[in-house]
Amino acid sequence: MSSSRPHDVVVVGSGFGGLFTTRALASVPGVRVTVISGTNHHLFQPLLYQVATGVLSSGEVAPATRDVLRRQRNARVLLGVVEDVDLDAREVVHSSPAGVTRTRYDSLVVAAGAGQSYFGHDEFAEHAPGMKSLDDALEIRGRIYGAFELAEVTRDEAAVERLLTFVVVGAGPTGVEMAGQVAELAHRVLPGQFRHVDPRRTRVLLVDPVDHVLPGFPERLSEAATRELEAQGVEIRTGWKVVDVDAEAVEIEDGDGGRQRVPASCKIWAAGVQGAPIGRVLAERAGVETDRSGRVPVEADCTLPGHPEVFVVGDLMRMDGLPGVAQVAMQSGQHAADQIRRRVDGRPTGQPFAYRDKGSMATVSRFFAVAQVGPVQTSGFVAWLLWLGVHLVYLVGFKNRLTTLLHWAVSFVGRGRAERAATWQQVVGRNAVRQDAGASFAP
Amino acid sequence: MSSSRPHDVVVVGSGFGGLFTTRALASVPGVRVTVISGTNHHLFQPLLYQVATGVLSSGEVAPATRDVLRRQRNARVLLGVVEDVDLDAREVVHSSPAGVTRTRYDSLVVAAGAGQSYFGHDEFAEHAPGMKSLDDALEIRGRIYGAFELAEVTRDEAAVERLLTFVVVGAGPTGVEMAGQVAELAHRVLPGQFRHVDPRRTRVLLVDPVDHVLPGFPERLSEAATRELEAQGVEIRTGWKVVDVDAEAVEIEDGDGGRQRVPASCKIWAAGVQGAPIGRVLAERAGVETDRSGRVPVEADCTLPGHPEVFVVGDLMRMDGLPGVAQVAMQSGQHAADQIRRRVDGRPTGQPFAYRDKGSMATVSRFFAVAQVGPVQTSGFVAWLLWLGVHLVYLVGFKNRLTTLLHWAVSFVGRGRAERAATWQQVVGRNAVRQDAGASFAP
């Protein structure tokens, strides 16, 4: 296909799937890429928990997408939420405060990702924010540091106990990392900064209906993570299910139906995922059914059934046996880009996507991670160094990897948390904005 | 006073005034300090414009107050908005989501600062956020980068023009710095990152009813700043007054009553200041009158008339001829601390506060500042180096001064802005929260 009209690729989403698709198309002649995303940044989600706990700043995990792609002349970036896809006209309908726009495509790659799933209990979201966006992380940061602040100011013992109880729902990597970080705040960072309350009284509960932490990891690593979490003082409640959440507490239930109400101000939801809403719209248009998590079933080559010109990649893609991890998003995005290149070149397409599992890792505490790379399973300091190296490599290309390293030094070698600032709005919560003392009030 | 009961000092506010008061009391035996603030951080306000324009992160200009004071064993920090002062019982009434608390004092230092004044037009605030708090800066960051994003996505020429017109109200240091930074974004940072719209089309208007920029600075420096701003493409509208602001435009009026409506999406209010609300409460309790800016008149020793045990310092203090700058806050805070120390020691008090003007400076653009230090007036690169040095010195003691230097290198030597990430909520504004694409939605 060497016609003069360019081949228009629309990429929905600026996460790992969208970014890796776009970059893989950089040197393909005759291709124009339009990235449409609801945020102006590429979110490096594996480090989002460090934003939530004050280790890193927003910018360090979320460089502006158009900055990352500035040298890729065949790519443009548009801010917008994709609300519909017209599969017949081959147009994407996206909206922003600037209005509704329709953008035509020859090939479409939907990499809109996933949000948090509350398993039918969306009312929990207000009390237990998820860990999927910058908004989430900054909200949680305000709640974590806010809880310690309020524990210092109140004289009500029951309130102190509630404020110093943190419940993390979901014992996958994000949940484990959050629980470990909050425990470290309580035991290593904050003691000595409070006069009334002892942050070491903090309880951190890690709750998951599955009966062990890090499901999906080898048993040995799960056990090593469990021991390290317990050494950090995290109370592991695996085999327990959260059945209710309100402003003051969570209610959890064990396998035998025994119930417990745990007073806790700060709850963090790191449990299920739910595909972005555009997934359901797209599936409906194509006459297929999303799965329970709202993911779109695809053919072996990551295309939408009946639409070889439409790809679904990353967390929004439903393909048997593939987990919702960054590596799947990157590789499926690259596969889609490769298929598009073949199509533009006039070569045969339809090659199945073959996922190469490069391994998985999770940090449990400072200097302690668990990692599986091929046949190698390791836990402890070596795994932590591996974690550090891998994340720095993947951060390469972002301007601020140097400041990230410095912030890590401050946090892991020192005892600091450089990004603790929480605005009053964040401390008191989205729904109860109060006036600032000496700042930002309308007099 | 060597009695065994400690002398309780309550400090209201964690800005320059509050922090310098507290630190000056660190080594005074028998004194206990309670800092009560509505934010968990000490805001380094002179660099707030760099947070608003993406140069620095929140944490770099806003370290946690209790982290800054962690080694000062005689100080505690409480989160709360001070709502009333009981001058007879010597108690401060402060509230937080944890409830209402009364805290007793022997000496009280009110350093609650000032917010933005809209000169009787509080309805402007929604459309033209101020520059006083982190909330403000992050809001403005979202609006600035959001405006460029929306200009790229819309096809409506009038909308592009409106989106690429930025109006800065107030030509003091903050206004000049904001105008210079937005111009630099438009002409140096963003070109090459957009495909449809040319950021160099951006107009930046700097509006002030006073007939020259940087009022309060020597005329020569004001003229130098004017020339540099014009060289950066900033349109200076001094002698013009903003008479109306709505979502789409500002209306400005020159000295002869001529009016102009300037369509502009992003407006930044860096004009007047208004003392924190507690100032008015305090004045009422003491039977004195605040001035038009809501500042509390004080005796020569910074005490509230009739109450030698109550000090008002910093921006909230009304003392003839003193400007609302960081130096006044620091020095008046230190004066209050000195008076308290004398009182505790049983020495005579009532010494008048003598302000030593150490000079003033403002950055206009990268490598260009204006500075007055004693009899020396300088503008250009040397003044900019001076600005850099002074701000680094004052940042010393904050863990992240190293990362600040790095971010400055990225921004001033390079062309980057490391902290551009704006959440969807910030781009679309507080009043129109939309769902995120692929993140943070309730499915």
Side-chain angles (χ1 to χ4, degrees):
Chain A
M1 216 159 79
S2 55
S3 76
S4 60
R5 197 178 74 74
H7 183 92
D8 275 309
V9 180
V10 168
V11 173
V12 179
S14 59
F16 286 115
L19 194 64
F20 275 69
T21 304
T22 305
R23 284 180 144 177
L25 291 169
S27 56
V28 182
V31 160
R32 277 197 318 210
V33 187
T34 302
V35 179
I36 304 172
S37 172
T39 66
N40 76 336
H41 50 269
H42 164 64
L43 181 61
F44 193 83
Q45 205 144 354
L47 289 176
L48 192 61
Y49 76 98
Q50 297 201 350
V51 175
T53 52
V55 175
L56 297 180
S57 72
S58 310
E60 284 166 329
V61 304
T65 311
R66 64 174 69 259
D67 197 13
V68 174
L69 294 173
R70 69 191 180 283
R71 293 208 186 86
Q72 185 172 336
R73 298 306 305 176
N74 75 341
R76 61 174 178 170
V77 178
L78 300 179
L79 184 80
V81 173
V82 174
E83 296 186 339
D84 204 353
V85 176
D86 186 331
L87 290 169
D88 298 322
R90 299 197 174 176
E91 282 182 345
V92 160
V93 184
H94 49 109
S95 74
S96 77
V100 175
T101 312
R102 298 177 75 95
T103 300
R104 218 192 51 78
Y105 63 82
D106 296 301
S107 296
L108 173 64
V109 181
V110 182
Q116 217 76 60
S117 165
Y118 289 87
F119 307 115
H121 288 283
D122 293 351
E123 72 277 13
F124 293 176
E126 181 189 348
H127 307 298
M131 273 290 292
K132 284 291 179 184
S133 70
L134 269 189
D135 278 323
D136 290 340
L138 296 176
E139 171 83 18
I140 289 172
R141 182 196 283 176
R143 292 189 185 204
I144 292 174
Y145 287 105
F148 286 105
E149 292 294 337
L150 298 178
E152 176 79 347
V153 79
T154 187
R155 295 291 169 273
D156 173 351
E157 260 306 303
V160 171
E161 207 172 301
R162 190 176 66 238
L163 286 159
L164 293 188
T165 302
F166 297 80
V167 176
V168 179
V169 185
T174 301
V176 165
E177 281 157 348
M178 280 302 300
Q181 274 292 316
V182 174
E184 198 184 322
L185 281 182
H187 295 285
R188 207 174 143 266
V189 176
L190 298 180
Q193 303 195 359
F194 290 78
R195 304 296 181 248
H196 294 286
V197 83
D198 185 349
R200 280 168 294 217
R201 285 178 54 186
T202 298
R203 294 178 64 198
V204 183
L205 274 70
L206 182 61
V207 186
D208 200 306
V210 177
D211 72 353
H212 57 283
V213 305
L214 295 178
F217 279 66
E219 198 180 328
R220 229 193 81 200
L221 297 186
S222 167
E223 283 166 7
T226 301
R227 281 192 301 274
E228 177 65 14
L229 284 166
E230 281 170 348
Q232 300 292 323
V234 174
E235 301 173 37
I236 297 177
R237 289 279 190 283
T238 45
W240 288 73
K241 199 181 148 192
V242 171
V243 290
D244 199 14
V245 182
D246 59 37
E248 314 250 294
V250 295
E251 198 164 323
I252 56 178
E253 189 181 89
D254 66 13
D256 305 324
R259 288 202 173 197
Q260 222 179 57
R261 186 176 155 87
V262 182
S265 292
C266 185
K267 284 83 65 179
I268 297 148
W269 195 270
V273 295
Q274 179 71 21
I278 186 62
R280 200 156 296 165
V281 175
L282 190 67
E284 200 176 294
R285 297 279 178 252
V288 297
E289 291 247 322
T290 55
D291 69 2
R292 281 195 331 166
S293 305
R295 293 180 302 172
V296 180
V298 292
E299 305 286 357
D301 61 351
C302 303
T303 58
L304 189 66
H307 290 273
E309 77 285 5
V310 179
F311 298 82
V312 182
V313 302
D315 283 358
L316 191 58
M317 166 182 81
R318 157 107 187 112
M319 195 181 272
D320 270 347
L322 291 190
V325 297
Q327 276 296 331
V328 168
M330 295 172 184
Q331 293 180 29
S332 57
Q334 284 168 327
H335 182 78
D338 184 60
Q339 291 289 303
I340 292 168
R341 176 199 279 265
R342 285 175 162 273
R343 186 174 163 207
V344 172
D345 290 349
R347 285 185 287 155
T349 57
Q351 285 76 9
F353 169 52
Y355 174 58
R356 289 174 304 281
D357 186 354
K358 294 189 180 173
S360 43
M361 47 179 65
T363 357
V364 181
S365 65
R366 130 191 126 102
F367 307 148
F368 193 104
V370 296
Q372 180 206 10
V373 185
V376 180
Q377 298 174 12
T378 171
S379 62
F381 187 61
V382 171
W384 187 80
L385 284 180
L386 197 65
W387 170 87
L388 198 81
V390 166
H391 283 78
L392 274 181
V393 165
Y394 278 105
L395 274 174
V396 164
F398 302 156
K399 275 197 200 75
N400 31 28
R401 60 192 182 279
L402 243 177
T403 63
T404 299
L405 249 185
L406 269 164
H407 276 146
W408 283 354
V410 164
S411 300
F412 301 135
V413 186
R415 282 164 188 277
R417 287 296 180 271
E419 297 285 341
R420 280 167 65 173
T423 70
W424 180 250
Q425 290 185 24
Q426 286 162 353
V427 171
V428 301
R430 278 180 190 147
N431 306 310
V433 176
R434 294 274 317 250
Q435 291 188 346
D436 223 341
S440 177
F441 52 85
Chain B
M1 219 161 69
S2 55
S3 77
S4 61
R5 197 178 73 73
H7 183 92
D8 274 308
V9 181
V10 168
V11 174
V12 180
S14 58
F16 286 116
L19 193 64
F20 275 68
T21 305
T22 305
R23 285 180 145 179
L25 292 168
S27 56
V28 183
V31 160
R32 276 198 315 210
V33 188
T34 303
V35 180
I36 305 173
S37 173
T39 65
N40 76 336
H41 50 268
H42 164 62
L43 182 62
F44 193 84
Q45 205 143 355
L47 289 176
L48 192 59
Y49 76 97
Q50 296 199 352
V51 175
T53 52
V55 175
L56 297 179
S57 73
S58 312
E60 282 165 329
V61 304
T65 311
R66 65 174 68 257
D67 196 15
V68 174
L69 295 173
R70 69 192 181 282
R71 293 207 186 85
Q72 185 170 336
R73 297 305 308 177
N74 74 343
R76 62 173 177 171
V77 179
L78 299 180
L79 184 79
V81 173
V82 174
E83 296 186 340
D84 204 353
V85 177
D86 186 332
L87 291 168
D88 298 324
R90 299 199 175 173
E91 283 181 344
V92 161
V93 183
H94 49 108
S95 73
S96 76
V100 175
T101 312
R102 300 177 75 94
T103 300
R104 219 192 50 78
Y105 63 82
D106 297 302
S107 296
L108 172 65
V109 182
V110 182
Q116 216 76 60
S117 165
Y118 289 87
F119 307 114
H121 288 283
D122 293 351
E123 72 277 13
F124 293 176
E126 181 189 349
H127 308 297
M131 272 290 293
K132 284 291 178 187
S133 70
L134 269 190
D135 277 324
D136 290 341
L138 297 177
E139 171 83 19
I140 289 172
R141 183 196 282 177
R143 290 190 187 204
I144 291 174
Y145 286 105
F148 286 105
E149 291 293 338
L150 298 179
E152 176 80 347
V153 78
T154 185
R155 295 290 168 276
D156 171 351
E157 259 306 303
V160 171
E161 207 170 303
R162 188 176 70 239
L163 287 160
L164 293 188
T165 302
F166 296 80
V167 176
V168 179
V169 185
T174 301
V176 164
E177 281 157 346
M178 279 303 299
Q181 274 292 318
V182 175
E184 198 183 322
L185 280 183
H187 294 286
R188 208 175 141 267
V189 175
L190 298 181
Q193 302 194 0
F194 290 78
R195 304 294 181 251
H196 294 286
V197 84
D198 185 350
R200 280 169 293 217
R201 285 178 55 184
T202 297
R203 294 178 64 197
V204 183
L205 274 72
L206 182 61
V207 187
D208 200 306
V210 177
D211 72 353
H212 57 283
V213 305
L214 295 179
F217 279 65
E219 197 180 328
R220 226 192 83 200
L221 297 186
S222 167
E223 282 166 7
T226 302
R227 279 191 303 273
E228 177 64 14
L229 283 167
E230 282 171 347
Q232 300 292 323
V234 173
E235 301 173 37
I236 298 177
R237 290 277 190 284
T238 45
W240 288 74
K241 199 182 146 190
V242 171
V243 289
D244 199 14
V245 182
D246 58 34
E248 313 252 293
V250 295
E251 198 162 323
I252 58 178
E253 187 181 88
D254 66 14
D256 305 324
R259 287 201 172 198
Q260 224 180 56
R261 186 175 155 86
V262 182
S265 291
C266 185
K267 285 83 65 176
I268 297 149
W269 195 271
V273 294
Q274 179 72 22
I278 186 62
R280 199 157 296 165
V281 175
L282 189 67
E284 200 176 293
R285 297 279 177 252
V288 298
E289 289 248 322
T290 55
D291 70 0
R292 282 196 328 166
S293 305
R295 294 180 301 173
V296 181
V298 291
E299 305 288 357
D301 61 350
C302 303
T303 58
L304 189 65
H307 290 273
E309 76 285 6
V310 179
F311 298 82
V312 182
V313 302
D315 283 358
L316 191 59
M317 164 183 82
R318 158 108 188 113
M319 193 181 273
D320 270 347
L322 291 190
V325 298
Q327 276 296 331
V328 169
M330 294 171 184
Q331 293 181 30
S332 56
Q334 284 168 328
H335 182 78
D338 185 60
Q339 292 289 302
I340 292 168
R341 175 198 281 264
R342 285 174 162 274
R343 189 174 162 207
V344 172
D345 290 348
R347 287 184 286 156
T349 56
Q351 285 75 9
F353 169 52
Y355 174 57
R356 291 174 305 282
D357 186 355
K358 294 190 179 171
S360 42
M361 48 178 66
T363 356
V364 183
S365 63
R366 133 189 124 102
F367 306 149
F368 193 104
V370 297
Q372 181 205 10
V373 185
V376 180
Q377 297 175 10
T378 172
S379 61
F381 187 62
V382 171
W384 187 81
L385 285 180
L386 198 64
W387 170 88
L388 198 79
V390 165
H391 283 79
L392 274 182
V393 166
Y394 278 104
L395 273 175
V396 165
F398 301 157
K399 275 199 201 74
N400 31 28
R401 60 193 182 282
L402 243 178
T403 63
T404 300
L405 250 185
L406 269 165
H407 275 147
W408 283 353
V410 165
S411 300
F412 300 138
V413 185
R415 282 164 189 275
R417 289 295 181 272
E419 296 286 341
R420 281 166 65 174
T423 70
W424 180 248
Q425 289 185 25
Q426 286 162 353
V427 170
V428 302
R430 280 181 187 143
N431 305 312
V433 176
R434 292 275 316 255
Q435 292 190 342
D436 222 343
S440 179
F441 52 84

